[in-house]
Every structure is written in C-alpha cells, then in structure tokens.
Amino acid sequence: MTAAEQGFPAKEQAPKTIYLKDYQVPPYLIKTTDLRFEIYEGETLVSAMLHLYRNPAAAPASQLTLHGADLELVSIALDGKILGADDYEFGEENLTIFNTPAEFKLLTITKIKPESNTSLEGLYRSRTMYCTQCEAEGFRKITYYLDRPDVMSEFTTTVVADKKFPVLLSNGNLIDQGDAENNRHYATWHDPFKKPAYLFALVAGDLAHIEDSFTTCSGRDVTLKIFVEPKDLDKCDHAMTSLKNSMRWDEEVYGREYDLNIFMIVAVDDFNMGAMENKGLNIFNTSCVLAKPETTTDVGFQRVEGVVAHEYFHNWSGNRVTCRDWFQLSLKEGFTVYRDSEFSADMGSRTVKRVEDVTLLRTLQFAEDAGPMAHPIRPESYIEISNFYTMTVYEKGAEIIRMLATLLGKEHFRKGTDLYFDRHDGQAVTTEDFVAALADASGRDLTLFKRWYSQAGTPRLHITDHYDEDAQEYSLTIKQSCPPTPECQEKLPFHIPIAMGLLGSAGDLPLYLKNAEPDFETGDNTHKVLELTSAEQTFVFERVQEKPVPSLLRGFSAPVKMHYDYSIADLIVLMSRDSDGFNRWEASQQLGLHAIHQAMKVYQQGGDLKNWALEPDLIAAYRSILQDDSLDKAMVAYMLSLPSEAYLSELADLVDVEAIHYSRTAVRIALAHALRDELMRVYQDYDHQQPYSATADAIAARSLKNVALGYLMLLNDDALVQACEQQYRTSNNMTDVMAALTQLVNSSSPLAQQLAVKALDDFYQRWQHESLVVNQWLTVQASCVLPGTLATVKKLQQHPAYDGKNPNKIRALISSFCNGNPINFHANAGVGYEFLADQIIALNSQNPQIASRLLTPLTKWKKYNVQRQSLMKAQLERIMAVSDLSKDVYEVVSKSLV
Ligand code: TRP
Ligand code: ZN
C-alpha cells in the first residue's frame, strides 16, 4: 500500500519506521550541558552550551545532526563564532551543522512557547506553574540536542523567572540563587550524575511544600521535599511516608542507596501519564501524589504508594543504569514494575497484590498481546515510541523479571542484580546486558529464556495428567503453543517456570520427581517449580499414594493461559484448601467463569435469565468462603467478585457484549439471593461508625463490606437502598462514599434512581473545588450501566467541571465510558464508536499521546460481530482520513486496519 492509499495526503510522507537492527552509536557525545532558561509570560528563551566531542566508538564524523522540534532558533555559535546560513541546515525535526571539529562548544539560543504547548511534552504550563516532561523524546522540544538515551551528560541549569514564581527547580543540587533585574530571580542547579536528556526536569511556580529527611544506610542525610499547589498541602503525608518506606526497602532488598543530598517530588495537574523519574526531581500527576481519607479511596492510596515507589526505584533501575535505545524500554520499566510490585507486596498482603497484578495483566495485557498492536517486550520496530509505553513493556516486562527471580531463586537473583548495577553503573545498556549479568552471577544458562524478550503473544499451556495406582506414579504432560502475532507467525518454545503442588485428601502431598536433579528435592518438598523448555514434556512423580488434585501455576508463575480439565469438585477443593492463596482465588474465578458461561449459553439460545439459579455445590462453596475466618477479608472480597466483563471479553474469540453483561449480572443476582443472609451479616457486622484507618486490615474490611453491599443492592430492596444512601451520606472516607454512590447510580430500583440524582448533585456541590474528587464524580457517571449514559457523558463535556485539555478529566469521562462501560459503548449501532472517533480527531493535534491512547477500544474491532466490526472499522477509516495525523495516532490506526 502506498502512503496515499493509507490515507496520507500524497505530498506528505508516511511517518517512517525505526528499527532496532539499525541501531548505531552516536557520532558525538556531550561532556557537559549548561542550560539557561529565561521564562517570560508567553515565551521562554533557552540558551544551551554543549561541550561536544567525537565518540571514539564511532567512525569520525565532520557534521552533526541534532534533534529539535517546534523550536525557533535565535542564534547559533560554534566555539564562540556565530554561524552563518551556509554552516547549517534545518531538517524536518533536526538541525545539521557542517564542518564540525573533533571537539567543540556549541551555543544555541532558542525560543519556545510553553503557554501554547498543549502536547504536555517538553516545557509547558500547567495551571499556575511551568514544568517539563522529556521522556521519551520531549527534550528536543526544549533545545537542539542529541536527544537519545545513550548520550549522557553532566547538566547545570539556571532558571530565571519573575518572582511571582518563587520556586525554581531543576535536577541535582542547588548551587546558586539570587535576584535578577525587573523583579526577577534565578536559581542554578547542578546534577553531578551523567544522565540522558529524557531525565532532565525543570519546574517554576508558586508552590508550597512539606519537608522531611531520610538517613541512608551509610549515614548520609537526604532532604525530602514534596511540592504542590498551596491548597493541596494537606494531602502530601501519605506520599512522604511511601517515599521513606521505598528508600529503606531499596537499601534492604537490593542494597541500593540514594545518591544526592536532596530528593524532590512536584505534583502537577496536567500530565500525560502517572509520573516521571527525572533525576532528583520527580514530576507527578497530582492523582499519584495527593491523598487524604476524605478525598481519596483506598485504591487511590495504594496507587500513590506504588507510583512513589516506582519512580523512586528508577533512580537505580533507569537512571544510574539507563537504556541504550528506546527498544530497551522494558529494561527499566519491566524491572521497575517488578520492584514496585514486590515493595507493595511487602507493605501489605502479598497474595492480594498478586491477585491485583494478575487481574490487570490478564485483562489488559493479554488483550494487547492478542490484538493488532501486539509486540514483544523488546519491540523490533516502532513509528512513535510513545505508543510503546504499554501493558506489555510494563506489566508483562515485570512478569519476565519475576520468572527470572523464580528460576534463579532469591540469593542468585540478588547476586545478579548486584552484578548488573555494579557492572553497568553510569552506562546505557540493553536487556541482553541485564540477562547476561543474571546468567553470570548465577551460572545459569538463560539462552532459551531470552525468547521471552523477542517473541510476542501469550503462550498457552495444555496440561493433562495420569495416575497409575499400582505404580503409585502420577504424571503431568504439559504442551505449550503460542498463537501468531503481527511480528512473528511461528513461535519457538518458551522457557516456562511452573510452580506447583499436589493436593491429597489431607493436604499437600510430598513431591518426588522421577529423574530430578538432586536440588529439586531440597527445601519445601510440597511446592516445586517445574521447568518447561520444549513444546511437550512429561513430569512423573513417584510415591504418590492417592490420586491428587494438581495445583498448577501457583502464584501465576508465568504469564500464560493454562488449560487443565478441572471438574467442579476439583475447583471447590482448590478454592477451599489449596496452600497457595493465589490458586484459591484462581479456583474461585474458574468457578465463576463456569457459572457465567452456562448462563451465556442460555442467553444466546434466547432463554430467560430471570430467576437464574446456581448449582447448590457452587453456592455452598461461595458460602464457605464467606464463613472462612482464616482468610484475609481482602481475599474473600476478591474471591466473591466474579471475573470482569473485560476479562470475559478477553477470553472470548467473538465478544458477545450483551450475553456477557446480562449473564454475569444474572449470576450475581443469583448469588445475592442465595447468600443474602451471609452478605447481610457481613454488611451489618461492619462497624460503620469506626474511626477511619488505612491499615491493610481496615482496607480489607472495607472492601469486603462494599462487595457485600454491591450484591445486596441487586435485590432491589428499599430498606437496603436506604442503607446504601445512609452509607453515602454518613461515611467519613471516600472509599465508602464512592462505593455507595456507585451502587445508587447503577441500581435500577426507582428509589435508588431518585436518591442517586440527589446524591450526585450533593456530591458535586460538596467537592467541586477538589479536582481529583470531581474526576471520580465524572467516572461514576460515565461508568453507569443503565441506558442513556452516552447522553450523560456528552452533557458532562459541557459542564464547568470538565476540561477537554486535561488528561485526567479525559480519562475520567471519555476513557471510563469507552473502556469501562462496554454495554453502553457498544450500544445503538455505533454511536459510541462515532463519539470516540470525534474525541480522537479533536485531540490528535492538541495532545497526540492522549489521542493515541484513547484508540484502544476501536483497535479490538476484529473481536466483535460483523455488524460491529464494520461500524468500528468505519470510524478507524474516518480517523485515518484526517490530514495532519500525528505519528502517534497514525501508527495505531494504520496497524489496526491491517
Ligand atoms: N518513565 C515514566 C514511568 O514509567 C513514564 C512516563 C511518564 C512517560 N511520562 C511519560 C512516558 C510521558 C511517555 C510519555 O515512570
Ligand atoms: Zn517507570
């Protein structure tokens, strides 16, 4: 297909693809980078003095091409000599300087306009402050530079601005500050650590801060500051506690000490992602810093803790050791997600955290891996790198590291990461370097394992077993396969760790693997890790005295789809007494799936789901979960929660939106009727007057109580509706308020509907000045499963609370509707699709990264019936025909239309 046929106007070139195989070392390196920002209302002048020298590892070059985008060049001088028009040439997004010597100083002055920068990349204005976002390739919107992660330089930055911006920040340590002319002032920061430009940051604003300190393991005192708009000063404590916990944890678990005298976090309202790990100056989306019980749900608190940890951990996994090129993104992201997830597991409940991570992976990442944007965790090519900050690079990337940790064991894994940090400190490296360090430190051959880095797709395991009573032998035969993905049709077998145990009538059986290496027999002999390395393998266990129920893939030891033909009775055994908490939950999900799939069959054959009843065994099993005092309440809550519509859709080859929604609801209603008394007890036993606490136990108790409320509200009983409204009105924390509001809004009971209107109104009146709370108010309405929600969403776009330029508002309203409300998004012959395409087209020029992210639901068109397929495809084609399509949107739409 030519560019024109693909929708690109004939005179324009289709954006070009970048390939990993084309990587070349940079021709020049930059020893020091001295920056001076003169911030004025409406424009900022950037002076950049770069000390450049030829890279000894590259062929000698006598010209230099620098990246630069949307810049106005004011002047350029080489070693003090002003360059003339013949000395350089502008390219599309670059500047080439001719006749460059072996070593020189380049001084450029450029003019940029942060106030009109709506892409939120480079230097931009967010409400009252100026801030930057440079990852991945945003630094080129600030000045001409070698904007690639393998060019690491020592930065000194001076910021000059009006005194109405009292706080002037950049990376590293403050080395100078003072007054300047015209009621202006300046601050100079020096970062002693070489870093790539994507880790550069600058902030200027009228900010308040909280301050604390941390004494590192070697006894150095580090000043910690969190900067926010003054109105948010009361919402910083949780982030500060999380930061100190993270710093201690990284010392204890990875031996990593913080390296500067100061660590700063700044919260900004307009931000494309969660947060950014700029050296010594992390910049955060307000949604990932601010938290207090009155405004923030428990999930919000946990997100703050996780993101603070994530960005802090990048100081080593990303900053001290960084990426050679953007194909290596998972080197820092996968590893850092693994690190933050282990941190959260240590701070709260390990099993609960695992259930949450696996749920995310199986719904969103598996779907991505099965769709048109599927890519290996180390992609081979991209058009726009911003499109590769994905569930695959992050979450699957973390699973790959987790498997390495499982295969190596705790001690060898730590030896490996020590070697990695030590060997590569100050370098820009590859995923190969990471795996090599682990292999060298452990003595293990990880050649086969590396296929996880280059092959996309979710592997499938098909497991069968055989019990030979006479021989007392039990065998497991495991076959693996992997469906084709865009970059690769035929997959080689993966190296897959399968943690397992065998359940006998009195608990876990001891495991004696036939022909096993001796070390298989050491340690806990009821729990083992089998290593699958070929397409099919059989593992035989000896001295097995009864036919066991196998507990497979414990803790979700590999990111795969496993099939083993469990009977309902087997699942009930696993759910009630497996020693692996994760597999108990997994069994509950399988039972839920079984029930929903049965209801779906009836629905699809035109049957009636009214008064749908569940099998008595199943009800008894769920009842016993509710009565099991040994279980963590958070686990009971998750075990009672049926698989989501998103997960059910991922599992289906052809998504039947209505069948999924109505069958799942029917099963929920059936459970609510069958377990009414037990659910009532859970709800009533909860002390609604207790003071708020954020301990893991208190969070767990709230989540179980609110799951119970969700079921009870399906009974459409006026007394329960009133109890729900009372919870809404009298709770002292946002978790309980939102849980009640969500139930009122989604209930079809006329009384609930009436109370919901009042509650929504009251909620807005009360919280209209808290932007993050207003976002929750938008989300609740956009997620309403009752008919008419699209009209509500359109009306809310006109509401003063909405701001179509703020990514958090877009996510709260538009994404919640299009991603989190399938029954409405897919309704009425494609009006939802058209609505989404309208939003994407409007955002394409304003904020390409957000526009591109919004596309996801349309990219899944092949999973729907032919009528929906053509309606969704038509909207993709409409987007494709837009002139001036951003690279971001172009890449996703063109790949989805193949
Ligand atoms: N490195 C950031 C993180 O994962 C991701 C990030 C923040 C980002 N802002 C971005 C990626 C903007 C692309 C564009 O912690
Ligand atoms: Zn990250």
Side-chain angles (χ1 to χ4, degrees):
M1 225 191 277
T2 68
E5 281 164 346
Q6 282 182 340
F8 249 72
K11 53 183 178 330
E12 287 175 44
Q13 285 285 308
K16 86 169 197 288
T17 301
I18 317 287
Y19 294 92
L20 169 59
K21 63 175 167 43
D22 293 342
Y23 173 82
Q24 289 195 329
V25 297
Y28 275 85
L29 297 173
I30 308 177
K31 195 167 160 37
T32 55
T33 300
D34 286 274
L35 302 171
R36 183 180 171 88
F37 290 78
E38 296 266 3
I39 299 177
Y40 296 99
E41 202 66 54
E43 64 181 46
T44 292
L45 281 174
V46 184
S47 316
M49 174 70 92
L50 313 182
H51 183 164
L52 289 136
Y53 62 101
R54 273 186 202 142
N55 182 357
S62 55
Q63 63 176 48
L64 169 66
T65 298
L66 298 173
H67 301 110
D70 309 331
L71 302 173
E72 182 185 329
L73 184 64
V74 176
S75 71
I76 178 165
L78 196 156
D79 286 334
K81 182 179 157 282
I82 305 254
L83 296 185
D86 292 346
D87 299 324
Y88 58 89
E89 187 177 272
F90 290 104
E92 175 112 41
E93 287 206 339
N94 57 51
L95 170 68
T96 299
I97 303 160
F98 304 117
N99 302 316
T100 47
E103 184 172 346
F104 62 101
K105 289 202 169 155
L106 183 74
L107 175 64
T108 61
I109 300 178
T110 47
K111 194 189 274 182
I112 52 179
K113 295 199 158 63
E115 290 78 3
S116 48
N117 178 356
T118 57
S119 68
L120 311 187
E121 203 190 14
L123 178 66
Y124 63 94
R125 177 111 184 203
S126 175
R127 293 165 52 90
T128 57
M129 68 183 103
Y130 292 88
C131 64
T132 53
Q133 171 54 41
C134 295
E135 188 177 4
E137 299 181 331
F139 193 75
R140 63 190 61 185
K141 292 180 142 194
I142 292 175
T143 192
Y144 288 102
Y145 204 76
L146 283 168
D147 187 9
R148 44 187 288 174
D150 54 355
V151 173
M152 301 171 78
S153 180
E154 187 182 326
F155 281 70
T156 306
T157 305
T158 298
V159 188
V160 196
D162 192 285
K163 285 184 178 167
K164 71 182 179 199
F165 304 103
V167 175
L168 306 174
L169 310 174
S170 190
N171 317 84
N173 302 310
L174 181 66
I175 56 169
D176 190 18
Q177 59 183 326
D179 287 342
E181 278 167 38
N182 298 323
N183 201 38
R184 291 163 68 80
H185 67 147
Y186 73 93
T188 302
W189 295 80
H190 172 246
D191 181 358
F193 294 94
K194 285 196 309 165
K195 66 167 174 290
Y198 84 87
L199 291 172
F200 170 79
L202 173 160
V203 169
D206 184 3
L207 304 172
H209 73 273
I210 64 164
E211 182 169 337
D212 207 327
S213 73
F214 178 83
T215 307
T216 69
C217 51
S218 74
R220 278 188 312 102
D221 276 328
V222 181
T223 302
L224 311 176
K225 294 185 179 181
I226 299 180
F227 292 88
V228 295
E229 287 188 34
K231 66 179 171 56
D232 292 322
L233 204 56
D234 61 338
K235 306 186 198 75
C236 299
D237 292 349
H238 181 62
M240 186 62 91
T241 305
S242 304
L243 175 60
K244 289 188 287 181
N245 287 340
S246 308
M247 295 178 85
R248 189 62 71 215
W249 189 89
D250 213 14
E251 291 180 345
E252 285 170 359
V253 181
Y254 282 86
R256 299 294 113 201
E257 186 181 358
Y258 186 62
D259 49 10
L260 287 163
N261 302 326
I262 182 165
F263 185 85
M264 298 176 282
I265 289 177
V266 180
V268 308
D269 218 35
D270 301 277
F271 202 73
N272 280 347
M273 307 266 282
M276 181 61 212
E277 69 263 24
N278 317 300
K279 183 77 186 188
L281 178 57
N282 287 0
I283 297 184
F284 272 60
N285 189 321
T286 43
S287 71
C288 297
V289 190
L290 305 179
K292 67 170 182 178
E294 296 75 21
T295 58
T296 314
T297 61
D298 292 336
V299 171
F301 268 80
Q302 283 163 343
R303 173 135 175 91
V304 168
E305 180 183 71
V307 178
V308 167
H310 180 96
E311 306 311 330
Y312 175 72
F313 296 155
H314 269 316
N315 191 56
W316 276 96
S317 49
N319 301 2
R320 287 289 288 261
V321 182
T322 195
C323 301
R324 186 192 75 172
D325 54 71
W326 291 119
F327 297 102
Q328 317 299 328
L329 184 57
S330 198
L331 173 75
K332 74 176 177 82
E333 295 305 346
F335 187 24
T336 305
V337 171
Y338 173 68
R339 277 150 56 70
D340 84 56
S341 140
E342 284 293 292
F343 165 76
S344 295
D346 284 345
M347 294 296 118
S349 153
R350 181 159 285 273
T351 309
V352 170
K353 176 63 176 158
R354 191 65 190 134
V355 164
E356 290 165 351
D357 287 352
V358 171
T359 300
L360 185 74
L361 185 85
R362 287 208 293 214
T363 44
L364 301 183
Q365 196 281 324
F366 282 15
E368 182 171 271
D369 234 346
M373 284 294 290
H375 52 278
I377 66 163
R378 186 194 56 210
E380 306 276 317
S381 72
Y382 60 77
I383 292 176
E384 169 53 62
I385 188 59
S386 296
N387 285 327
F388 287 79
Y389 288 75
T390 57
M391 283 287 151
T392 298
V393 164
Y394 277 66
E395 315 305 324
K396 186 176 181 181
E399 294 298 321
I400 307 308
I401 307 299
R402 178 177 300 278
M403 287 191 286
L404 284 167
T406 303
L407 289 169
L408 266 59
K410 214 180 166 120
E411 227 166 277
H412 278 147
F413 183 72
R414 169 65 193 271
K415 268 197 188 164
T417 58
D418 281 354
L419 179 61
Y420 168 72
F421 288 126
D422 189 48
R423 192 185 262 178
H424 298 297
D425 191 6
Q427 298 178 0
V429 304
T430 64
T431 57
E432 298 268 339
D433 294 321
F434 181 82
V435 177
L438 294 200
D440 292 350
S442 65
R444 287 214 48 164
D445 180 355
L446 298 172
T447 316
L448 272 184
F449 187 84
K450 285 198 277 189
R451 289 176 185 162
W452 283 107
Y453 283 87
S454 57
Q455 299 188 141
T458 306
R460 281 148 210 250
L461 298 184
H462 192 90
I463 307 185
T464 51
D465 62 353
H466 176 73
Y467 181 58
D468 181 340
E469 197 174 352
D470 298 333
Q472 303 264 292
E473 280 188 357
Y474 176 74
S475 65
L476 284 170
T477 297
I478 311 181
K479 288 186 195 165
Q480 63 164 304
S481 63
C482 184
T485 47
E487 93 298 346
C488 171
Q489 295 302 301
E490 298 252 342
K491 311 289 168 101
L492 296 166
F494 291 87
H495 184 172
I496 303 176
I498 302 168
M500 51 81 63
L502 298 177
L503 256 70
S505 46
D508 278 351
L509 302 176
L511 304 175
Y512 306 100
L513 189 67
K514 206 170 179 173
N515 307 320
E517 318 243 320
D519 76 330
F520 190 86
E521 303 294 344
T522 61
D524 173 5
N525 78 334
T526 64
H527 178 91
K528 297 292 178 195
V529 178
L530 306 178
E531 293 190 28
L532 183 68
T533 50
S534 45
E536 178 174 342
Q537 259 164 276
T538 296
F539 300 88
V540 181
F541 296 89
E542 300 169 308
R543 291 182 265 164
V544 181
Q545 285 163 10
E546 56 181 307
K547 184 177 190 319
V549 176
S551 169
L552 302 165
L553 210 68
R554 283 181 164 173
F556 204 65
S557 60
V560 300
K561 289 190 179 184
M562 183 192 78
H563 175 82
Y564 170 88
D565 205 4
Y566 284 115
S567 68
I568 298 294
D570 290 343
L571 290 171
I572 289 173
V573 165
L574 289 169
M575 172 158 100
S576 45
R577 54 185 181 81
D578 194 346
S579 60
D580 183 65
F582 177 86
N583 268 6
R584 289 186 71 174
W585 170 78
E586 174 63 7
S588 77
Q589 298 303 289
Q590 293 300 324
L591 285 169
L593 271 180
H594 167 81
I596 295 168
H597 284 151
Q598 274 189 328
M600 279 174 71
K601 267 187 221 143
V602 172
Y603 180 90
Q604 285 167 333
Q605 286 159 12
D608 190 359
L609 290 180
K610 232 193 195 141
N611 304 322
W612 177 255
L614 296 170
E615 292 163 33
D617 285 2
L618 216 117
I619 291 169
Y622 279 108
R623 176 173 292 124
S624 68
I625 291 301
L626 264 168
Q627 291 164 340
D628 186 342
D629 290 332
S630 73
L631 271 169
D632 178 345
K633 285 198 164 73
M635 284 312 294
V636 177
Y638 280 129
M639 289 169 83
L640 282 179
S641 302
L642 295 177
S644 67
E645 290 180 29
Y647 183 53
L648 291 161
S649 305
E650 200 290 311
L651 290 177
D653 291 323
L654 184 76
V655 182
D656 185 337
V657 179
E658 286 74 17
I660 287 175
H661 179 76
Y662 293 113
S663 305
R664 183 175 182 277
T665 305
V667 173
R668 279 173 53 80
I669 292 172
L671 266 178
H673 279 291
L675 301 175
R676 180 189 180 115
D677 294 346
E678 289 79 4
L679 291 163
M680 280 294 277
R681 201 163 318 123
V682 167
Y683 192 71
Q684 282 163 350
D685 282 356
Y686 185 85
D687 175 6
H688 289 263
Q689 307 312 314
Q690 69 188 282
Y692 174 83
S693 143
T695 61
D697 281 349
I699 292 172
R702 272 191 291 280
S703 79
L704 177 56
K705 180 257 302 185
N706 286 326
V707 165
L709 176 64
Y711 276 108
L712 292 168
M713 282 293 282
L714 293 168
L715 299 172
N716 282 354
D717 171 327
D718 280 359
L720 289 166
V721 171
Q722 253 137 11
C724 181
E725 196 272 343
Q726 185 177 341
Q727 174 174 328
Y728 165 75
R729 216 170 353 93
T730 60
S731 294
N732 56 9
N733 67 88
M734 189 52 79
T735 304
D736 287 338
V737 170
M738 276 318 292
L741 185 60
T742 304
Q743 294 308 327
L744 289 175
V745 166
N746 284 284
S747 169
S748 55
S749 120
L751 176 62
Q753 278 307 293
Q754 213 181 309
L755 294 171
V757 173
K758 267 182 59 194
L760 283 169
D761 204 41
D762 161 86
F763 189 94
Y764 182 71
Q765 291 310 318
R766 167 126 196 241
W767 295 112
Q768 55 182 307
H769 302 299
E770 292 281 0
S771 180
L772 295 174
V773 182
V774 170
N775 295 348
Q776 299 177 63
W777 179 77
L778 293 170
T779 297
V780 139
Q781 296 176 79
S783 314
C784 173
V785 297
L786 304 176
T789 302
L790 179 56
T792 309
V793 170
K794 288 180 175 169
K795 215 169 87 195
L796 285 168
Q797 282 186 298
Q798 308 307 319
H799 193 282
Y802 190 70
D803 172 0
K805 288 197 162 61
N806 176 274
N808 289 353
K809 294 273 180 286
I810 298 169
R811 281 185 277 261
L813 189 65
I814 315 295
S815 278
S816 299
F817 178 76
C818 301
N819 288 300
N821 195 346
I823 193 74
N824 275 305
F825 176 64
H826 293 281
N828 303 329
V831 291
Y833 312 152
E834 189 180 357
F835 168 75
L836 178 54
D838 289 343
Q839 310 309 310
I840 291 164
I841 291 168
L843 276 164
N844 168 59
S845 46
Q846 184 189 307
N847 187 330
Q849 286 182 9
I850 298 295
S852 175
R853 276 174 190 278
L854 274 182
L855 274 163
T856 311
L858 288 175
T859 66
K860 307 277 150 68
W861 60 277
K862 283 185 182 151
K863 291 203 62 158
Y864 295 86
N865 65 31
V866 285
Q867 192 212 353
R868 284 183 171 140
Q869 282 199 8
S870 69
L871 291 166
M872 293 168 94
K873 214 173 148 205
Q875 294 307 320
L876 286 170
E877 279 158 355
R878 183 158 78 90
I879 298 168
M880 196 65 184
V882 167
S883 60
D884 291 327
L885 213 52
S886 62
K887 279 200 280 181
D888 309 60
V889 173
Y890 170 79
E891 177 167 37
V892 178
V893 178
S894 61
K895 289 181 176 174
S896 303
L897 280 172
V898 170

